[in-house]
Amino acid sequence: MPSATPTTFNDGNVITKPSKARCTADGSAVDVATRSKSISTVLHRSLDQDPLRVVSAQGNHLLLSNGQRILDATGGAAVACLGHGNEQVRQAILNQMMEVSYCHSLFYAVTAVEELANLLIESTEGEMTRAFFISSGSEAIEAALKLARQYHLEKQPSEPQRSHIIARQQSYHGTTLGALGVGGHVARRALFEPLLSTRSSRVSPCYAYRGKASEFEDDDSYVNRLEAELDAEFQRVGPSNVAAFIAEPVVGAALGCVPAVKGYFRAVRKVCDKYGALLILDEIMCGSGRIGPEPTVHYPKPLHAWQDPSIGVTPDIMTMGKGLGGGYIPVAAMLANRKVVEALKGGSKAFQHGQTYQSHPVACRAALEVQKILMQDDLVANVRKQGKLLGRLLKENLGSHPAVGDIRGRGLFWGVEFVANKTTKEPFEPQEAVASGIHELGMQQPYSISLYPGTGSADGKRGDHILLAPAYTATEEDIAEIVSTTGRVIEHFFSHLQRA
């Protein structure tokens, strides 16, 4: 017999409202639920409360209809890499609309699309050879999975049995059924498990804070363990059945900016090559300059996370999103290397996948302008510079806080993980709503800062973190303000939590 109480789900896509005592910055008993009662006909993230309404945006700030000015310390979901209201991008979009706003990519090509593809292929120093443009990161992952499957069908000799994808626990690759099916975000998968493909499996993430056997295990030993686990998973599934391994170079929303230890991806590449599987790197959140990859002789102007020497491998297929277009127009991309493209050339001579808004002229023109600005203004260098400052100040200001377990990240992509016990790393229970409570408190005056919350970092269900992803144009003053405000929010939140 069905329960009279409706089941509730928290997949991280809806903010769980904390109690009154913890969500009011001045200590007053204002009920958050009453200040945004739902009257909208839009199917918003929550059906009980309407989101705050933005009336304008410029630089690092969003202006709300109530007059509040929010410091956007996360670029939304690590999207607004140039900040808001860039006039050069706006003008480029307008110019493209004056030429052509839409045409079907099955029949026509557009200059902006060709130029964007050329720019991105050149940014890989020719390691990738073709680009495919769509409207979202989830769509990019769908395309990558399909391309991996088609590669094994059309290469010589073909291996049609290869259809299994190995991914990692506590990963997130998108919300469409194919992308969700390979991902390891427990909460986001839960409701839709019966619809998800069973031709995927997951191994442990490279997550030094919680994954190392002890504080005495060095990086090499840790990498060797993870390599052996991945190899064993290939053996369990059957090496000739695996089409690809997919991973984020720096894990974003699911873990909160967790970079892999040095040598990990070289080990992964070795296992994939050993068994003939493709390596797909998901750079939707951490790519397009976000981690400030360090230059090398081969990559003097690095843009992609995999070009950083700490990662040190070239993928067969990669995906881009968020920072590609900076939020000005929805746009994402999948790039493929020569080996993959040549297999298709020798077979059907086509990628057997297409979408209505594929290679959308306005979207690609916006992305082209964003990427030109990144390169012309050398903004990735600023990401490296300000990212080092951001990491140092976070550790100096928050490292000793009893509820802060780990501070990790790279470039302008940093996460703070919270724990109930700093020594044992015991996470808070989900009902404490720590991450969403910190976000909600930060959004209120006098703080007025947006901090991106995440849950499940400890075991898929428990574990709270916030993510910081400022614009690439951030100054030292911006970074100092973000860290100072974040620190005050965290201090306030946990002082109230202890008294509750």
Side-chain angles (χ1 to χ4, degrees):
M1 182 175 179
S3 169
T5 304
T7 304
T8 59
F9 299 93
N10 178 18
D11 69 354
N13 276 313
V14 178
I15 297 298
T16 302
K17 301 295 182 183
S19 66
K20 296 176 186 178
R22 291 184 357 239
C23 66
T24 55
D26 62 2
S28 62
V30 175
D31 188 344
V32 178
T34 63
R35 67 173 169 81
S36 54
K37 186 177 179 181
S38 180
I39 58 173
S40 177
T41 53
V42 174
L43 189 62
H44 285 300
R45 302 283 182 113
S46 169
L47 296 180
D48 289 333
Q49 298 159 357
D50 289 345
L52 299 167
R53 187 164 298 187
V54 176
V55 295
S56 67
Q58 190 64 42
N60 297 324
H61 292 87
L62 301 168
L63 183 63
L64 306 183
S65 58
N66 63 6
Q68 193 176 0
R69 191 165 174 260
I70 299 292
L71 174 58
D72 188 3
T74 67
V79 173
C81 59
L82 297 184
H84 303 280
N86 185 285
E87 188 55 40
Q88 189 173 329
V89 181
R90 285 177 174 174
Q91 190 59 51
I93 291 171
L94 179 60
N95 292 344
Q96 182 60 51
M97 293 180 74
M98 297 295 288
E99 294 178 12
V100 57
S101 293
Y102 170 77
C103 57
H104 197 336
S105 61
L106 181 62
F107 310 125
Y108 311 104
V110 176
T111 299
V113 179
E114 300 296 327
E115 290 184 358
L116 177 60
N118 289 339
L119 182 149
L120 293 180
I121 296 306
E122 288 173 7
S123 74
T124 72
E125 299 295 333
E127 299 284 5
M128 303 291 116
T129 60
R130 292 293 178 110
F132 179 85
F133 301 111
I134 51 282
S135 302
S136 71
S138 296
E139 293 170 68
I141 294 295
E142 296 284 338
L145 298 176
K146 286 187 173 182
L147 182 58
R149 169 63 177 161
Q150 190 177 342
Y151 164 77
H152 289 294
L153 289 172
E154 300 203 15
K155 70 181 184 180
Q156 294 300 322
S158 66
E159 296 184 273
Q161 78 282 3
R162 287 191 183 265
S163 58
H164 192 93
I165 305 293
I166 300 177
R168 302 190 296 183
Q169 297 158 4
Q170 291 134 294
S171 62
Y172 181 62
H173 298 294
T175 195
T176 50
L177 291 178
L180 198 61
V182 299
H185 196 298
V186 173
R188 293 183 183 179
R189 288 176 57 98
L191 188 61
F192 306 104
E193 284 285 354
L195 302 178
L196 302 181
S197 171
T198 58
R199 304 191 74 85
S200 67
S201 57
R202 279 147 290 282
V203 294
S204 299
C206 187
Y207 181 16
Y209 175 64
R210 292 191 178 275
K212 284 190 172 182
S214 74
E215 60 183 307
F216 303 108
E217 184 175 31
D218 61 28
D219 287 353
D220 289 343
S221 299
Y222 183 40
V223 167
N224 289 339
R225 278 201 300 115
L226 293 175
E227 180 181 356
E229 181 186 351
L230 179 59
D231 194 289
E233 183 61 13
F234 268 85
Q235 292 293 336
R236 187 192 71 82
V237 172
S240 64
N241 294 324
V242 179
F245 175 78
I246 182 170
E248 303 155 272
V250 179
V251 184
L255 284 182
C257 306
V258 172
V261 301
K262 192 170 184 178
Y264 169 76
F265 276 102
R266 291 188 181 91
V268 164
R269 175 86 262 184
K270 183 169 71 173
V271 175
C272 289
D273 290 346
K274 175 181 177 182
Y275 295 119
L278 297 181
L279 174 60
I280 303 172
L281 290 185
D282 176 355
E283 296 206 1
I284 291 162
M285 201 170 204
C286 67
S288 304
R290 172 57 67 185
I291 71 161
E294 296 286 345
T296 62
V297 173
H298 191 54
Y299 303 117
K301 293 280 188 179
L303 178 69
H304 310 289
W306 59 264
Q307 293 173 323
D308 188 88
S310 68
I311 296 168
V313 301
T314 304
D316 297 301
I317 301 172
M318 64 173 290
T319 58
M320 304 175 69
K322 302 180 187 296
L324 176 61
Y328 287 92
I329 299 281
V331 64
M334 176 198 69
L335 277 60
N337 72 2
R338 187 173 306 280
K339 175 178 74 174
V340 174
V341 173
E342 288 300 319
L344 270 62
K345 282 185 176 180
S348 66
K349 304 186 187 307
F351 178 31
Q352 304 296 325
H353 176 62
Q355 297 185 222
T356 300
Y357 294 118
Q358 174 183 328
S359 296
H360 192 278
V362 180
C364 289
R365 186 64 187 87
L368 177 63
E369 200 64 26
V370 169
Q371 296 306 306
K372 283 182 176 179
I373 292 170
L374 295 189
M375 295 175 181
Q376 291 166 3
D377 296 348
D378 202 10
L379 289 181
V380 178
N382 191 57
V383 171
R384 285 194 293 272
K385 177 183 176 182
Q386 304 304 338
K388 290 171 184 175
L389 176 64
L390 176 57
R392 178 171 64 80
L393 291 181
L394 284 172
K395 291 176 181 179
E396 288 175 358
N397 283 265
L398 295 171
S400 61
H401 193 286
V404 173
D406 192 35
I407 299 170
R408 66 292 184 115
R410 197 72 60 79
L412 289 176
F413 198 49
W414 283 81
V416 180
E417 182 170 343
F418 303 103
V419 291
N421 187 305
K422 202 176 182 84
T423 302
T424 65
K425 304 180 184 178
E426 182 70 17
F428 288 96
E429 292 302 318
Q431 59 266 29
E432 297 282 5
V434 168
S436 57
I438 290 171
H439 162 82
E440 182 63 32
L441 177 61
M443 289 288 285
Q444 296 187 45
Q445 295 175 341
Y447 307 117
S448 296
I449 187 172
S450 176
L451 303 170
Y452 192 98
T455 58
S457 47
D459 57 15
K461 295 181 180 179
R462 298 185 306 159
D464 295 90
H465 62 265
I466 58 168
L467 183 155
L468 294 168
Y472 300 178
T473 53
T475 64
E476 291 183 10
E477 291 74 21
D478 294 330
I479 298 301
E481 180 184 6
I482 288 170
V483 173
S484 173
T485 307
T486 300
R488 288 187 289 120
V489 171
I490 290 170
E491 288 285 351
H492 183 166
F493 178 82
F494 285 106
S495 68
H496 280 251
L497 181 65
Q498 292 166 359
R499 293 198 295 269

